[in-house]
Structures are given as structure tokens and as C-alpha cells.
Amino acid sequence: MGEPTAMVILEAKNLNKTYTVDHRPIMVLNDISLRVALGEFVVIAGSSGSGKTTLLTLLSGLDHPSSGRVFIDAHDITGASEDELAPLRNRMIGFVFQSFHLVPSMTAVENIMFPAELLGRPDAEEKARQLLWRVGLQDRADNLPSQLSGGEKQRVSLCRAMINDPKLLFADEPTGNLDSQNGRLVLAQLLEMKAEQGATLILVTHNPEIAAAADRVLTLKDGRLTG
């Protein structure tokens, strides 16, 4: 496994994840170790069921491994409680999900503002509107998610992920629910904003076009890293 020589922002050591189904243990991830440098764009690739999304949830602290450890910015988050993890995620991490996860009762600008308001940022609305302008949706600020197309929802989701200037961006099949034209637009804007903010991007995909744009591709097969 090639390892970056720059500052390591994320590290996983010997991660295992096992679920119990009908009293039988099912190993989803088997002895995963990796290091990601600040500013890298890393793709986690693999077929459906290979463990890609499970790995992403462990790396981002959304779930805990059965064994092994995860470090973000040299801090061990493995045993951290949700109360400890929530402010860390809000301050350092941005998420872009395949299914958008926008709050239906909030307008586009309110959805984007929400993480900044949790940090008490007085410029939350101003920053949210700047980001909407950045992705060409300034005229959609007051629209509810139900009034937006899939591509527009994902661009709002991207703005929400970026509002607190995260060091780490996690994206789970961010173009999976979009047509090819909108998918290319969202990916281009994601990479542009990542570069502008100097963020690290870890993206799950089975799309070879997206993988080709990455600095590094880690391939999962049957719960193990093969590349």
C-alpha cells in the first residue's frame, strides 16, 4: 500500500467490522489499515456489497468498528461517545450523501446554514448565500427541497458540507442518484471547492470515471483492501 508522505489527516489501523445475522457472525470488513494525507482525493472503489459504505461510516465516526482504531487529525475517535464526536464532526468533517439528507421543512439556505448555526457562527446566512451563488443556485435560496431537482438538491448538500470549512470531506456515491450531466457538474463543483479550501476528500464510488480523477484508489473486495 502506497502511503502519503505529507501530514496524515486520517488513519485507520486494523479495522474489523462484524454483524450478527440470525446468530451468525458476518464479517464485512477484515483488517483494514490505511493512511490519508491532508489535501488528498482518495476513492474507495469496489462492487456492491464489498463494504465501501461501511468503511466510510467507520472512518467518519458514524459507526464504531468491532476492533481496530480510527484517528482523525491524530485524535483517536474509536471509543468516543456521540456527544464527543458530534462537535468534532461538525467542526472538521463534511458529508455528502447519495440521498441528499436535506431537512424537508427547511429552505435551501436554511439547510446549508444549519451546521454553521450549531457552531454559533454569526455569518452563517451570509456564508450560506455565498455558497449558493458559488454553485449557481442563488435564485433557489428560499426553495424547499421538494421544489428542487435532484442535481440542485445535491449541490445544496455540497454547500452544507462545505460551510464550516472542513478538513475532511466524506462523500458516499454523491452522483449515484443523478443523471450523467448533473453527476459531472456536481463532481466538478465538489473537486473545485475541495481544492479552494484545501480539504481532503474520501469518496465511495463504483464509477470508473470518478475513480480516474482521484489521487489514489483503494479497492475493496470481500471486505479486504486489494489496492
Side-chain angles (χ1 to χ4, degrees):
M1 177 178 68
E3 292 188 348
T5 56
M7 173 187 170
V8 174
I9 186 70
L10 175 70
E11 183 170 11
K13 293 183 177 180
N14 308 112
L15 291 186
N16 294 283
K17 185 65 176 180
T18 302
Y19 295 101
T20 301
V21 179
D22 294 330
H23 307 291
R24 292 187 304 115
I26 305 294
M27 179 165 277
V28 181
L29 295 176
N30 187 353
D31 197 31
I32 302 290
S33 294
L34 59 87
R35 303 172 83 207
V36 179
L38 185 64
E40 256 197 308
F41 171 21
V42 175
V43 156
I44 299 172
S47 60
S48 179
S50 60
K52 302 187 300 296
T53 295
T54 300
L55 179 56
L56 202 71
T57 63
L58 299 186
L59 295 177
S60 59
L62 289 175
D63 194 10
H64 297 288
S66 301
S67 62
R69 311 200 77 77
V70 177
F71 299 83
I72 291 178
D73 204 20
H75 298 288
D76 188 346
I77 69 163
T78 314
S81 68
E82 183 58 29
D83 285 345
E84 293 168 328
L85 282 171
L88 173 75
R89 284 198 297 256
N90 200 33
R91 188 178 69 252
M92 284 195 60
I93 297 173
F95 294 95
V96 184
F97 300 99
Q98 180 176 348
S99 53
F100 319 128
H101 288 197
L102 299 176
V103 180
S105 59
M106 288 184 177
T107 64
V109 73
E110 288 168 344
N111 266 284
I112 296 166
M113 288 168 57
F114 187 59
E117 289 180 315
L118 289 176
L119 287 185
R121 289 183 57 161
D123 64 340
E125 183 173 357
E126 179 186 358
K127 181 73 181 290
R129 291 187 183 277
Q130 287 174 351
L131 286 166
L132 278 169
W133 179 87
R134 173 69 182 74
V135 298
L137 292 180
Q138 61 271 26
D139 295 334
R140 298 299 227 166
D142 298 319
N143 286 101
L144 295 171
S146 61
Q147 299 168 313
L148 302 174
S149 69
E152 289 169 339
K153 289 177 188 175
Q154 194 59 297
R155 283 185 276 164
V156 170
S157 175
L158 173 55
C159 292
R160 181 185 57 190
M162 300 301 291
I163 194 166
N164 285 335
D165 306 312
K167 286 187 176 181
L168 265 174
L169 276 171
F170 291 98
D172 188 3
E173 297 279 10
T175 65
N177 280 338
L178 306 179
D179 60 52
S180 57
Q181 181 178 353
N182 274 300
R184 283 191 291 269
L185 175 61
V186 165
L187 179 64
Q189 291 179 332
L190 175 59
L191 295 180
E192 286 168 9
M193 294 169 82
K194 169 213 171 295
E196 288 166 8
Q197 295 193 9
T200 303
L201 174 60
I202 300 168
L203 186 150
V204 161
T205 188
H206 60 267
N207 185 326
E209 269 186 68
I210 297 177
D215 298 319
R216 209 159 35 116
V217 178
L218 304 176
T219 303
L220 272 175
K221 184 175 182 182
D222 300 326
R224 286 183 174 272
L225 280 180
T226 62

